């Protein structure tokens, strides 16, 4: 291949989820909002990086607020885009059902990211069910980012033409597949806002009004489905076997079909409009086949609909899928799972190209439990909490600690092993109240991150405060939603993209809620923090302790003075109890596995000093000579 | 020509960046590319896996089928075990010997695989060990292991041109530039033994 290095401009390529955001930009969206959550996060991040004067992009305080802001914006006639993860759609769902029955004026497109396989550790939720619940059209792109871009752009036109919000469903795989896209110019038409006065459409009091809105929503959904229908696609094959699959898993089906000889290839239907389903096309395929395999991830939604449609035919074909155990209901799919199902149906020898080796790590190996990054303020805070528990006169297992979403939950893993529960955003505080209500005598502590606190932690704090429950709330304020990629939280005061115009204070909020005692300290001052926490554990009423230090991965510190182990003093983690490894488990501490001494990776150490504090032999010292500048 | 690659390691090693560099180079050469990277969690130390498909067109599935990868690249010794089922017969495994031990394995060495254990998992296919961390440190921070392994890839496959990889590396991380390119060549030369 000939080329001229340096002269060829790199073609554009985007993640699938970024391509959807690009589609929104090209469609002339004037507002993009959302709340971070994998795999939807890169949509808003992409738009923040594109900053144009025509588009305002923001992180909302939570997903419900994001959707409501977008609804108002689109009712004023302007196009709006929302991106959230499936858990976020749960949070926004109350508003979603209401907005859906009122419809839209300016196009309103909501991107929701599901996570089959639970790669990011939440519930394996199938958000296609929301489309059904809310009478909304839902489309999903496959693994070609350019299709995602064009589809989103079209979704805006359809949303306006049919007057309904349109849902776009991504999955971890379609969202995080990066590939080439063609960029088209942005739509720059200017619209002035006009807020309609139409209480029949925008209010809900009155049964007749609600029933009318319900009927209208169904009609709008049908119209949108008609307009979106060209995204669905048939491919004729041979024989009497058919395969139906939604676009999100199409790549696996195509891969598996490619392995078959031409004359054995089944008839195919690729469904992009996953709600409402393209019944005409499904019936068309069914009429050609004796057996139809439905391939989809998570719930057998298409499979069940196809089965009930088949029952209407005079000679119904057999519908095969999860019901027969041909594909799993749990976890994500891959090309081999689809191949196995097809081979089974076609009575073929398995088409594997290599001897099967196990994909699972043998259980004899240690599991890779997540831990905090070197220098993370959360680690210091948990170490301080452990000391506070001892200082207050309790054993570690007596005090009950509830955890919350985010990096803060890593306090569940060793060596801290403190957090016992994780429910949903903000739940640590209410679950803790539940334990107190149940009559637990020992102190109960809720640990929550700043972004999570603002998202859904305020109502449970108010609940506990109004009842004066004996409860300690430890807020780990690192100014970011760290776990999802360091998006600014409402406490962020540096002017980074997406940061609040007006940073908020957790202490002021807590004081306004008449919390008994509010304290704030730097987590790196572990002695001070453990004193403050110990007092809180012993005190009645709601106690709020804020441990505030910016996420180390976004710290502005530019020079690091790492620590060093003095080999003459270190006796090795084997003979040392409790060793630095057991006490802090920092990834910058290195060992060969017990026999020899411990050493510190100077490139990874960020100089928090927690290990030096924990070392019973004072063998860990600062190493001024190896000070290092950060990029 | 097609090239299917699976890369894995742990967060902080630059697994996704390595995928982006190779994918970017392939795009510049006019190939169709699909890169599936699980890049959602930000912690240092979380397992990361990337699937890369290069071709004209690239394979339709964003995930490389089992037994179909021409090259697998492991940046961490234990995670490398997950690559074994992906490697095709006659393919090559490029493995860095870096060990990022989970908590328990720090106390119990037998709970962490040694080289033989990893090699056995690849049941006789070609396994090349690369001292990527050492080579990276010679030129900069540990995060250069990705560049070292990209260099190693260039020495075993010419589907993506070496010079395009260098350009893509510069484009992906413009602020690093020269030192990182040196790390790339350190990986390249480690396997070729040449210094052209
Ligand atoms: C309803 C909902 N929205 C979004 C998420 C995704 N999410 C997981 S962790 C996290 C950030 C938490 O940030 P913070 O509370 O500040 O803790 P940190 O990670 O910074 O320690 C988010 C937004 C979720 N799990 N549920």
């Amino acid at each position: 291949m000939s080329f001229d290095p340096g002269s060829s401009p790199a073609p554009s390529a985007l993640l699938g989820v970024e391509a959807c955001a690009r589609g929104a930009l090209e469609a002339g969206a004037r507002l993009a909002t959302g709340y971070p959550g994998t795999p939807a996060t890169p949509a808003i991040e992409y738009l923040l990086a594109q900053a144009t004067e025509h588009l305002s992009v923001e992180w909302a305080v939570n997903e419900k607020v994001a959707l409501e802001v977008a609804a108002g914006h689109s009712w004023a006639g302007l196009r709006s885009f929302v991106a959230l993860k499936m858990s976020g759609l749960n949070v926004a769902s109350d508003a979603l059902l209401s907005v859906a029955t009122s419809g839209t004026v300016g196009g309103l497109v909501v991107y929701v990211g599901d996570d089959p396989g639970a790669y990011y550790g939440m519930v394996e939720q199938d958000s296609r069910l929301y489309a059904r619940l809310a009478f909304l059209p839902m489309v999903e792109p496959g693994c070609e980012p350019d299709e995602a871009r064009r589809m989103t752009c079209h979704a805006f036109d359809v949303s306006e033409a049919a007057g309904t919000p349109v849902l776009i469903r991504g999955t971890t795989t379609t969202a995080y597949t990066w590939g080439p896209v063609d960029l088209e110019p942005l739509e720059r038409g200017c619209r002035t806002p006009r807020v309609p006065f139409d209480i029949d459409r925008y209010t809900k009091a009155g049964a007749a009004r609600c029933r009318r809105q319900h009927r209208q929503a169904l009609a709008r959904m049908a119209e949108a489905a008609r307009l979106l229908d060209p995204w669905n696609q048939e491919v004729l094959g041979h024989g009497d076997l058919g395969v139906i699959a939604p676009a999100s898993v199409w790549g696996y089906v195509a891969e598996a079909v490619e392995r078959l000889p031409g004359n054995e290839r089944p008839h195919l239907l690729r469904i992009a409009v996953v709600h409402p389903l393209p019944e005409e096309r499904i019936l068309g395929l069914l009429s050609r086949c004796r057996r139809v395999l439905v391939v989809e991830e998570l719930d057998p939604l298409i499979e069940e609909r196809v089965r009930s449609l088949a029952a209407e035919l005079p000679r119904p074909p057999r519908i095969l899928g999860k019901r027969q155990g041909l594909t799993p209901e749990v976890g994500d799919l891959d090309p081999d799972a689809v191949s196995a199902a097809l081979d089974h149906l076609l009575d073929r020898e398995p088409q594997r190209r290599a001897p099967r080796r196990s994909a699972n790590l043998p259980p004899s190996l240690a599991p890779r439990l997540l831990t905090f990054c070197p220098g993370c303020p959360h680690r210091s805070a948990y170490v301080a909490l452990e000391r506070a528990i001892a200082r207050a006169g309790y054993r570690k297992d007596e005090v009950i600690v509830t955890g919350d979403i985010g990096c803060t939950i890593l306090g569940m893993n060793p060596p801290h092993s403190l957090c016992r529960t994780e429910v949903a955003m903000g739940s640590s505080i209410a679950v803790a109240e539940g334990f107190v209500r149940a009559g637990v005598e020992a102190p109960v502590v809720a640990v929550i991150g700043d972004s999570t606190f603002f998202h859904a932690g305020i109502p449970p704090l108010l609940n506990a405060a109004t009842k004066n429950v004996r409860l300690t709330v430890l807020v780990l304020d690192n100014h970011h939603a760290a776990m999802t990629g360091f998006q600014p939280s409402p406490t962020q005061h540096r002017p980074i993209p997406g940061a609040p115009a007006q940073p908020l204070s957790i202490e002021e909020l807590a004081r306004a809620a008449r919390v008994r005692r509010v304290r704030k300290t730097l987590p790196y001052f572990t002695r001070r923090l453990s004193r403050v926490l110990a007092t809180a554990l012993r005190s009645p009423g709601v106690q709020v302790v804020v441990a505030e230090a910016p996420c180390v991965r976004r710290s502005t510190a530019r020079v690091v003075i790492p620590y060093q182990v003095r080999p003459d003093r270190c006796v090795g983690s084997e003979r040392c109890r409790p060793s630095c490894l057991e006490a802090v488990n920092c990834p910058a501490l290195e060992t060969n596995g017990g026999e020899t001494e411990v050493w510190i990776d100077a490139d990874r150490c960020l100089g928090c000093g927690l290990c030096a504090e924990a070392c019973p032999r004072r063998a860990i010292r600062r190493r001024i000579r190896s000070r290092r500048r950060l990029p | 020509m097609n090239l299917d690659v699976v890369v894995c390691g742990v967060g902080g090693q630059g697994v996704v960046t390595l995928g982006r560099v190779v994918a970017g180079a392939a795009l510049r050469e006019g190939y169709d590319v699909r890169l599936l990277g699980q890049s959602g969690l930000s912690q240092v130390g979380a397992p990361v896996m990337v699937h890369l498909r290069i071709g004209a067109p690239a394979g339709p599935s964003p995930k490389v089928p089992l037994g179909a990868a021409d090259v697998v690249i492991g940046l961490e010794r234990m995670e490398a075990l997950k690559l074994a089922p992906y490697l095709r017969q006659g393919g090559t495994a490029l493995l860095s010997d870096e060990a990022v031990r989970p908590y328990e394995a720090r106390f119990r060495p037998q709970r962490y695989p040694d080289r033989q254990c990893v090699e056995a998992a690849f049941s006789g296919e070609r396994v090349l060990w690369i001292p990527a961390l050492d080579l990276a440190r010679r030129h900069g921070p540990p995060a250069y292991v990705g560049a070292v392994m990209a260099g190693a890839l260039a020495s075993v496959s010419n589907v993506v041109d070496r010079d395009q990889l260098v350009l893509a590396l510069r484009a992906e991380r413009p602020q690093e530039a020269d030192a990182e390119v040196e790390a790339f060549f350190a990986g390249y030369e480690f396997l070729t033994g040449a210094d052209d």
Side-chain angles (χ1 to χ4, degrees):
Chain A
M1 189 159 294
S2 79
F3 67 94
D4 177 9
S7 69
S8 57
S12 308
L14 292 173
L15 295 175
V17 51
E18 290 174 334
C20 287
R22 174 74 201 182
L25 195 63
E26 290 176 2
R30 294 286 174 267
L31 173 80
T33 178
Y35 182 77
T38 314
T41 318
I44 300 296
E45 293 195 323
Y46 172 80
L47 293 173
L48 279 170
Q50 304 300 309
T52 77
E53 50 179 307
H54 298 274
L55 171 69
S56 54
V57 191
E58 60 179 43
W59 290 117
V61 74
N62 70 28
E63 296 89 350
K64 177 169 183 281
V65 172
L67 181 65
E68 290 158 348
V69 170
H73 186 266
S74 91
W75 287 347
L78 279 68
R79 292 188 166 187
S80 341
F81 179 66
V82 181
L84 31 75
K85 74 179 282 160
M86 75 292 180
S87 327
L89 194 57
N90 300 344
V91 172
S93 61
D94 196 16
L96 182 77
L97 269 74
S98 188
V99 170
T101 47
S102 291
T104 61
V105 182
L108 173 58
V109 172
V110 179
Y111 180 93
V112 52
D114 274 348
D115 185 19
Y119 287 93
Y120 300 104
M122 294 295 290
V123 178
E124 278 196 301
Q125 164 181 323
D126 197 326
S127 295
R128 292 178 298 172
L129 287 160
Y130 272 112
R132 181 150 181 192
L133 196 62
F135 329 111
L136 288 178
M138 179 183 257
V139 280
E140 62 177 44
C143 287
E144 295 95 56
D146 199 57
E147 179 195 30
R149 178 189 64 82
R150 286 178 287 118
M151 188 181 269
T152 311
C153 214
H154 186 223
F156 273 94
D157 293 339
V158 171
S159 171
E160 250 165 45
T164 174
V166 175
L167 298 173
I168 297 195
R169 176 180 184 249
T171 61
T172 297
T173 306
T174 60
Y176 283 138
T177 297
W178 185 88
V181 289
D182 296 321
L183 302 184
E184 278 172 45
L186 312 187
E187 209 267 286
R188 292 226 185 272
C190 213
R191 297 188 196 174
T192 34
R194 275 196 47 216
V195 179
F197 192 94
D198 183 353
I199 57 170
D200 269 344
R201 187 168 169 194
Y202 297 104
T203 71
K204 307 281 163 191
R209 181 174 287 152
C210 289
R211 280 186 225 128
R212 193 161 51 240
Q213 288 184 10
H214 184 179
R215 207 170 296 122
Q216 287 165 347
L218 291 172
R220 286 192 295 261
M221 177 177 78
E223 170 63 3
R226 191 183 64 78
L227 296 172
L228 290 164
D229 186 63
W231 290 100
N232 300 311
Q233 200 185 324
E234 286 100 350
V235 183
L236 289 191
H238 301 271
D240 59 6
L241 180 66
V243 179
I244 299 180
S248 53
V249 299
W250 190 254
Y252 311 145
V253 173
E255 186 88 29
V257 168
E258 260 183 21
R259 290 187 200 173
L260 300 173
N263 60 355
E264 282 192 44
R265 294 195 178 161
H267 304 289
L268 307 173
L269 173 58
R270 180 189 197 260
I271 295 182
V273 185
V274 292
H275 188 79
L277 288 171
E279 298 190 350
E280 289 306 312
R281 290 185 191 254
I282 292 172
L283 284 166
L285 184 100
L286 294 183
S287 65
R288 252 181 237 118
C289 303
R290 296 302 309 139
R291 292 178 307 163
V292 172
L293 172 69
V294 182
V295 179
E296 63 195 309
E297 280 172 332
L298 303 179
D299 288 16
L301 288 180
I302 298 180
E303 182 179 325
E304 280 165 10
R305 188 78 199 110
V306 169
R307 194 168 283 122
S308 66
L309 284 171
E312 292 172 8
L313 294 175
R315 282 175 64 237
R318 218 171 147 224
I319 308 304
L320 303 150
K322 304 206 190 236
R323 198 179 161 84
Q324 289 77 16
L326 286 168
T327 60
E329 217 161 317
V330 175
D332 56 337
L333 293 176
D334 53 48
D336 299 284
V338 179
S339 261
L342 278 178
D343 290 340
H344 176 81
L345 291 179
L346 294 167
D347 258 334
R348 292 169 53 84
E349 285 295 303
Q351 299 297 296
R352 266 184 220 308
R353 289 189 251 171
R356 182 130 206 189
R357 307 181 197 106
S358 170
N360 296 324
L361 297 185
S364 59
L365 298 179
R368 197 175 286 285
L369 304 177
L370 291 185
T371 187
F372 301 110
C373 303
C376 175
H378 296 352
R379 176 183 290 107
S380 298
Y382 276 108
V383 168
L385 178 57
E386 282 178 65
R387 289 200 204 139
I389 290 170
R391 199 190 274 256
Y394 293 94
R395 283 196 325 269
K396 196 162 143 181
D397 58 349
E398 281 175 321
V399 171
I400 295 181
V401 180
T402 58
D404 221 307
I405 315 276
C407 293
T408 59
I409 192 59
L410 298 180
M412 72 189 176
N413 282 340
H416 319 290
S417 307
L418 282 167
C419 303
R420 306 185 183 210
T421 61
E422 177 185 17
V423 179
M425 296 287 281
S427 303
S428 58
I429 301 175
V431 171
E433 180 180 336
F435 289 141
V436 176
R437 289 299 175 86
V440 170
E441 299 269 323
V444 179
V445 184
V447 185
I448 183 168
D450 49 328
S451 191
T452 304
F453 176 79
F454 284 101
H455 178 288
I458 296 172
L461 181 68
L462 302 186
N463 201 63
T466 53
K467 309 205 167 69
N468 204 19
V469 176
R470 182 186 167 189
L471 177 69
T472 299
V473 179
L474 171 58
V475 188
L476 305 184
D477 178 7
N478 60 5
H479 304 174
H480 293 86
M483 188 173 245
T484 43
F486 322 107
Q487 295 78 21
S489 91
T491 59
Q492 177 61 250
H493 44 261
R494 283 196 296 130
I496 54 179
Q502 220 169 224
L504 301 181
S505 148
I506 295 166
E507 308 86 79
E508 279 172 23
L509 262 160
R511 285 203 192 94
R514 307 190 57 195
V515 164
R516 269 290 183 102
R517 189 189 283 115
V518 182
R519 290 284 179 276
K520 173 160 137 182
T521 169
L522 210 77
Y524 297 118
F525 294 166
T526 44
R527 255 178 239 129
R528 194 179 125 85
L529 179 56
S530 74
R531 259 200 315 275
V532 170
L533 281 169
T535 311
L537 295 184
R538 285 198 227 96
S539 309
V542 178
Q543 311 279 320
V544 169
V545 179
V546 182
E548 186 203 24
C551 174
V552 265
R553 302 278 294 281
R554 288 295 179 273
S555 155
T556 47
R558 279 294 151 261
V559 176
V560 168
I561 304 178
Y563 280 73
Q564 180 183 35
V565 180
R566 291 180 51 173
D568 54 320
R569 290 211 181 163
C570 178
V571 296
S573 56
E574 194 83 316
R575 271 167 291 154
C576 189
R577 285 287 173 277
S579 69
C580 52
L581 286 177
E582 285 167 298
V584 305
N585 188 32
C586 173
L589 292 169
E590 299 266 6
T591 160
N592 278 335
E595 283 105 64
T596 50
E597 74 273 20
V598 173
W599 71 96
I600 293 174
D601 182 341
D603 287 319
R604 294 201 167 105
C605 174
L606 285 173
C608 75
L610 204 57
C611 55
E613 226 175 70
C615 176
R617 293 171 194 265
R618 299 176 160 276
I620 303 181
R621 289 283 177 79
R622 278 198 142 187
R623 183 166 136 179
I624 311 269
R625 263 188 301 123
S626 32
R627 75 164 55 205
R628 139 174 86 89
R629 295 209 138 266
L630 293 181
Chain B
M1 248 200 296
N2 278 61
L3 181 69
D4 286 337
V5 183
V6 184
V7 190
C8 78
V10 297
Q13 291 183 313
V15 177
V16 175
T17 311
L18 170 56
R20 284 282 176 107
V21 167
V22 183
L27 268 185
R28 283 160 189 271
E29 281 199 51
Y31 285 109
D32 180 29
V33 175
R34 291 290 176 283
L35 173 72
L36 170 62
Q38 280 137 17
S39 47
L41 283 184
S42 18
Q43 282 88 25
V44 167
V48 188
M49 187 181 270
V50 161
H51 292 245
L52 175 59
R53 311 203 73 184
I54 296 171
S61 157
K63 291 182 196 163
V64 175
L66 296 178
D70 304 291
V71 180
V72 296
I73 305 179
L75 273 66
E76 200 276 342
R77 206 199 301 159
M78 184 164 103
E79 293 302 313
L81 288 167
K82 295 182 183 164
L83 294 171
Y86 288 101
L87 189 61
R88 70 167 165 80
Q89 266 166 5
T92 304
L94 300 173
L95 305 183
S96 158
D97 200 17
E98 185 173 351
V100 180
R101 291 184 174 76
Y103 182 68
E104 255 194 88
R106 294 179 143 200
F107 306 101
R108 291 189 199 85
Q110 70 278 13
R111 300 267 279 151
Y112 191 83
D114 55 19
R115 274 190 187 209
Q116 284 80 354
C117 165
V118 176
E119 276 168 27
F122 285 90
S123 51
E125 298 300 339
R126 187 157 84 129
V127 174
L128 303 175
W129 291 97
I130 293 132
L133 188 58
D134 290 345
L135 294 176
R137 284 214 159 115
R138 250 175 248 168
H139 299 279
Y144 283 6
V145 289
V148 174
M149 296 307 274
L153 174 66
S155 78
V156 299
S157 164
N158 54 10
V159 172
V160 179
D161 185 84
R162 189 189 69 184
D163 298 338
Q164 288 291 5
L165 281 168
V166 171
L167 282 180
L169 188 64
R170 285 185 192 272
E172 189 64 33
R173 299 220 286 207
Q175 71 282 20
E176 308 277 345
D178 291 346
E180 199 167 14
V181 171
E182 279 169 31
F184 174 93
F185 278 103
Y188 181 80
E189 282 153 21
F190 181 81
L191 289 186
T192 53
D195 48 356
D196 59 343

